Amino acid sequence: MSMARAAEPPGIAAGINQIEGYLLLQTERDAARERARRFTGRLDWLTSAQRAEVERLYVQDQLAVTERNLRTVVRRCEELRAEYQEVYRTLRRRLLLVCLLGAAALSGGLAAALMVR
């Protein structure tokens, strides 16, 4: 999700994600149909019914492959998000600790300087 999407209400972001998914599916379906037509175009011995059936099966197979690939990508994105969130939390804790130690050292140095006077 982009930074702009993060600022949107969850319902709107989910709706946009659904629209994007639909458009992606339609684009892939069109591309698979075109690949199927090119494939069957080389098989000039097929009847019209056979050509239509081969194209239908080809598109069905291509969409299944696309779905598997997308699910793999989604899983990996979720894994990376979890890893990056953990790294971010660790860095935040370290930064807080450094700030607290710096503030303590500064206040200790300031207290020591005031006691010397």
Side-chain angles (χ1 to χ4, degrees):
M1 187 181 313
S2 69
M3 293 298 287
R5 292 260 172 86
E8 295 172 352
I12 292 174
I16 291 172
N17 285 339
Q18 282 184 318
I19 291 169
E20 286 178 343
Y22 173 79
L23 293 174
L24 177 65
L25 177 63
Q26 292 306 311
T27 301
E28 179 54 30
R29 183 172 284 136
D30 292 343
R33 284 183 184 135
E34 180 57 33
R35 288 189 303 271
R37 278 193 284 280
R38 283 195 315 262
F39 177 73
T40 59
R42 293 180 284 171
L43 306 173
D44 55 355
W45 46 267
L46 290 174
T47 66
S48 296
Q50 289 171 331
R51 183 177 313 279
E53 181 63 9
V54 168
E55 287 178 9
R56 184 187 70 74
L57 291 171
Y58 187 99
V59 169
Q60 181 181 348
D61 184 62
Q62 289 292 294
L63 292 177
V65 168
T66 297
E67 182 178 355
R68 281 193 306 272
N69 290 341
L70 288 174
R71 289 186 189 282
T72 299
V73 168
V74 166
R75 259 193 317 276
R76 184 61 183 140
C77 287
E78 289 169 351
E79 290 169 1
L80 287 173
R81 178 183 296 133
E83 288 175 27
Y84 289 142
Q85 284 175 338
E86 184 56 35
V87 167
Y88 177 72
R89 279 191 290 271
T90 300
L91 290 174
R92 235 180 32 206
R93 283 192 298 265
R94 287 179 184 169
L95 179 61
L96 178 61
L97 179 61
V98 167
C99 288
L100 289 174
L101 290 174
L106 184 61
S107 64
L110 184 59
L114 289 175
M115 289 177 56
V116 171
R117 286 186 172 188

